PDB file of all heavy atoms in Angstrom:
ATOM      1  N   PRO A 496     145.248 -65.297 -14.873  1.00 91.00           N
ATOM      2  CA  PRO A 496     144.247 -64.594 -13.916  1.00 91.00           C
ATOM      3  C   PRO A 496     143.913 -65.465 -12.781  1.00 91.00           C
ATOM      4  O   PRO A 496     144.131 -66.678 -12.721  1.00 91.00           O
ATOM      5  CB  PRO A 496     143.066 -64.322 -14.822  1.00 91.00           C
ATOM      6  CG  PRO A 496     143.144 -65.430 -15.912  1.00 91.00           C
ATOM      7  CD  PRO A 496     144.587 -65.554 -16.163  1.00 91.00           C
ATOM      8  N   SER A 497     143.555 -64.675 -11.707  1.00 92.00           N
ATOM      9  CA  SER A 497     143.020 -65.326 -10.438  1.00 92.00           C
ATOM     10  C   SER A 497     144.117 -66.345  -9.871  1.00 92.00           C
ATOM     11  O   SER A 497     143.820 -67.476  -9.700  1.00 92.00           O
ATOM     12  CB  SER A 497     141.696 -66.076 -10.686  1.00 92.00           C
ATOM     13  OG  SER A 497     140.785 -65.018 -11.081  1.00 92.00           O
ATOM     14  N   SER A 498     145.340 -65.765  -9.693  1.00 95.00           N
ATOM     15  CA  SER A 498     146.479 -66.768  -9.224  1.00 95.00           C
ATOM     16  C   SER A 498     147.189 -66.131  -8.021  1.00 95.00           C
ATOM     17  O   SER A 498     147.109 -64.847  -7.885  1.00 95.00           O
ATOM     18  CB  SER A 498     147.419 -66.988 -10.300  1.00 95.00           C
ATOM     19  OG  SER A 498     146.833 -67.643 -11.444  1.00 95.00           O
ATOM     20  N   TYR A 499     147.787 -66.940  -7.263  1.00 97.00           N
ATOM     21  CA  TYR A 499     148.779 -66.505  -6.266  1.00 97.00           C
ATOM     22  C   TYR A 499     150.121 -66.755  -6.728  1.00 97.00           C
ATOM     23  O   TYR A 499     150.448 -67.791  -7.459  1.00 97.00           O
ATOM     24  CB  TYR A 499     148.614 -67.276  -5.020  1.00 97.00           C
ATOM     25  CG  TYR A 499     147.414 -66.881  -4.210  1.00 97.00           C
ATOM     26  CD1 TYR A 499     146.380 -67.795  -3.771  1.00 97.00           C
ATOM     27  CD2 TYR A 499     147.231 -65.590  -3.757  1.00 97.00           C
ATOM     28  CE1 TYR A 499     145.288 -67.439  -3.067  1.00 97.00           C
ATOM     29  CE2 TYR A 499     146.093 -65.182  -3.011  1.00 97.00           C
ATOM     30  CZ  TYR A 499     145.133 -66.025  -2.656  1.00 97.00           C
ATOM     31  OH  TYR A 499     144.011 -65.730  -1.853  1.00 97.00           O
ATOM     32  N   ALA A 500     151.066 -65.837  -6.420  1.00 98.00           N
ATOM     33  CA  ALA A 500     152.490 -66.108  -6.735  1.00 98.00           C
ATOM     34  C   ALA A 500     153.362 -65.866  -5.501  1.00 98.00           C
ATOM     35  O   ALA A 500     153.066 -64.974  -4.576  1.00 98.00           O
ATOM     36  CB  ALA A 500     152.986 -65.085  -7.783  1.00 98.00           C
ATOM     37  N   VAL A 501     154.277 -66.761  -5.209  1.00 98.00           N
ATOM     38  CA  VAL A 501     155.134 -66.576  -4.065  1.00 98.00           C
ATOM     39  C   VAL A 501     156.572 -66.363  -4.607  1.00 98.00           C
ATOM     40  O   VAL A 501     156.989 -67.060  -5.450  1.00 98.00           O
ATOM     41  CB  VAL A 501     155.158 -67.926  -3.186  1.00 98.00           C
ATOM     42  CG1 VAL A 501     156.317 -67.888  -2.180  1.00 98.00           C
ATOM     43  CG2 VAL A 501     153.871 -68.085  -2.467  1.00 98.00           C
ATOM     44  N   VAL A 502     157.252 -65.355  -3.964  1.00 98.00           N
ATOM     45  CA  VAL A 502     158.644 -65.080  -4.334  1.00 98.00           C
ATOM     46  C   VAL A 502     159.485 -65.228  -3.119  1.00 98.00           C
ATOM     47  O   VAL A 502     159.179 -64.682  -2.006  1.00 98.00           O
ATOM     48  CB  VAL A 502     158.712 -63.528  -4.794  1.00 98.00           C
ATOM     49  CG1 VAL A 502     160.217 -63.206  -5.124  1.00 98.00           C
ATOM     50  CG2 VAL A 502     157.915 -63.312  -6.062  1.00 98.00           C
ATOM     51  N   VAL A 503     160.511 -66.079  -3.165  1.00 98.00           N
ATOM     52  CA  VAL A 503     161.344 -66.381  -2.154  1.00 98.00           C
ATOM     53  C   VAL A 503     162.783 -65.821  -2.374  1.00 98.00           C
ATOM     54  O   VAL A 503     163.305 -66.199  -3.599  1.00 98.00           O
ATOM     55  CB  VAL A 503     161.436 -67.857  -1.820  1.00 98.00           C
ATOM     56  CG1 VAL A 503     162.429 -68.185  -0.683  1.00 98.00           C
ATOM     57  CG2 VAL A 503     160.017 -68.466  -1.473  1.00 98.00           C
ATOM     58  N   SER A 504     163.394 -65.072  -1.652  1.00 97.00           N
ATOM     59  CA  SER A 504     164.722 -64.489  -1.817  1.00 97.00           C
ATOM     60  C   SER A 504     165.669 -64.809  -0.716  1.00 97.00           C
ATOM     61  O   SER A 504     165.224 -64.575   0.458  1.00 97.00           O
ATOM     62  CB  SER A 504     164.561 -62.981  -1.913  1.00 97.00           C
ATOM     63  OG  SER A 504     163.759 -62.597  -2.937  1.00 97.00           O
ATOM     64  N   THR A 505     166.764 -65.387  -0.926  1.00 97.00           N
ATOM     65  CA  THR A 505     167.719 -65.892   0.111  1.00 97.00           C
ATOM     66  C   THR A 505     169.091 -65.901  -0.537  1.00 97.00           C
ATOM     67  O   THR A 505     169.415 -65.705  -1.754  1.00 97.00           O
ATOM     68  CB  THR A 505     167.248 -67.229   0.654  1.00 97.00           C
ATOM     69  OG1 THR A 505     168.031 -67.510   1.751  1.00 97.00           O
ATOM     70  CG2 THR A 505     167.510 -68.342  -0.387  1.00 97.00           C
ATOM     71  N   GLU A 506     170.075 -66.337   0.404  1.00 95.00           N
ATOM     72  CA  GLU A 506     171.430 -66.517   0.023  1.00 95.00           C
ATOM     73  C   GLU A 506     172.064 -67.474   1.007  1.00 95.00           C
ATOM     74  O   GLU A 506     171.681 -67.525   2.154  1.00 95.00           O
ATOM     75  CB  GLU A 506     172.166 -65.221  -0.033  1.00 95.00           C
ATOM     76  CG  GLU A 506     173.602 -65.352  -0.643  1.00 95.00           C
ATOM     77  CD  GLU A 506     173.554 -65.842  -2.213  1.00 95.00           C
ATOM     78  OE1 GLU A 506     173.125 -64.898  -2.989  1.00 95.00           O
ATOM     79  OE2 GLU A 506     173.820 -67.069  -2.416  1.00 95.00           O
ATOM     80  N   ALA A 507     172.904 -68.419   0.503  1.00 92.00           N
ATOM     81  CA  ALA A 507     173.464 -69.397   1.384  1.00 92.00           C
ATOM     82  C   ALA A 507     174.955 -68.840   1.797  1.00 92.00           C
ATOM     83  O   ALA A 507     175.809 -68.870   0.946  1.00 92.00           O
ATOM     84  CB  ALA A 507     173.637 -70.751   0.635  1.00 92.00           C
ATOM     85  N   VAL A 508     175.033 -68.485   2.979  1.00 91.00           N
ATOM     86  CA  VAL A 508     176.348 -67.947   3.479  1.00 91.00           C
ATOM     87  C   VAL A 508     177.434 -69.007   3.611  1.00 91.00           C
ATOM     88  O   VAL A 508     178.513 -68.708   3.129  1.00 91.00           O
ATOM     89  CB  VAL A 508     176.147 -67.246   4.902  1.00 91.00           C
ATOM     90  CG1 VAL A 508     177.558 -66.813   5.453  1.00 91.00           C
ATOM     91  CG2 VAL A 508     175.086 -66.105   4.881  1.00 91.00           C
ATOM     92  N   SER A 509     177.078 -70.236   3.993  1.00 90.00           N
ATOM     93  CA  SER A 509     178.098 -71.226   4.156  1.00 90.00           C
ATOM     94  C   SER A 509     178.684 -71.591   2.846  1.00 90.00           C
ATOM     95  O   SER A 509     179.870 -72.056   2.733  1.00 90.00           O
ATOM     96  CB  SER A 509     177.417 -72.461   4.850  1.00 90.00           C
ATOM     97  OG  SER A 509     176.394 -72.981   4.084  1.00 90.00           O
ATOM     98  N   PHE A 510     177.854 -71.572   1.658  1.00 89.00           N
ATOM     99  CA  PHE A 510     178.388 -72.067   0.459  1.00 89.00           C
ATOM    100  C   PHE A 510     179.365 -71.031  -0.171  1.00 89.00           C
ATOM    101  O   PHE A 510     180.086 -71.338  -1.021  1.00 89.00           O
ATOM    102  CB  PHE A 510     177.198 -72.350  -0.460  1.00 89.00           C
ATOM    103  CG  PHE A 510     177.584 -73.164  -1.734  1.00 89.00           C
ATOM    104  CD1 PHE A 510     177.868 -74.589  -1.469  1.00 89.00           C
ATOM    105  CD2 PHE A 510     177.661 -72.711  -2.961  1.00 89.00           C
ATOM    106  CE1 PHE A 510     178.190 -75.348  -2.532  1.00 89.00           C
ATOM    107  CE2 PHE A 510     178.028 -73.431  -4.037  1.00 89.00           C
ATOM    108  CZ  PHE A 510     178.312 -74.854  -3.800  1.00 89.00           C
ATOM    109  N   THR A 511     179.172 -69.792   0.321  1.00 86.00           N
ATOM    110  CA  THR A 511     179.997 -68.771  -0.294  1.00 86.00           C
ATOM    111  C   THR A 511     181.204 -68.365   0.615  1.00 86.00           C
ATOM    112  O   THR A 511     181.778 -67.414   0.327  1.00 86.00           O
ATOM    113  CB  THR A 511     179.153 -67.429  -0.479  1.00 86.00           C
ATOM    114  OG1 THR A 511     178.613 -67.026   0.698  1.00 86.00           O
ATOM    115  CG2 THR A 511     177.988 -67.780  -1.562  1.00 86.00           C
TER     116      THR A 511
END
Side-chain angles (χ1 to χ4, degrees):
S497 299
S498 297
Y499 284 122
V501 169
V502 176
V503 179
S504 300
T505 189
E506 192 58 76
V508 176
S509 59
F510 198 73
T511 60

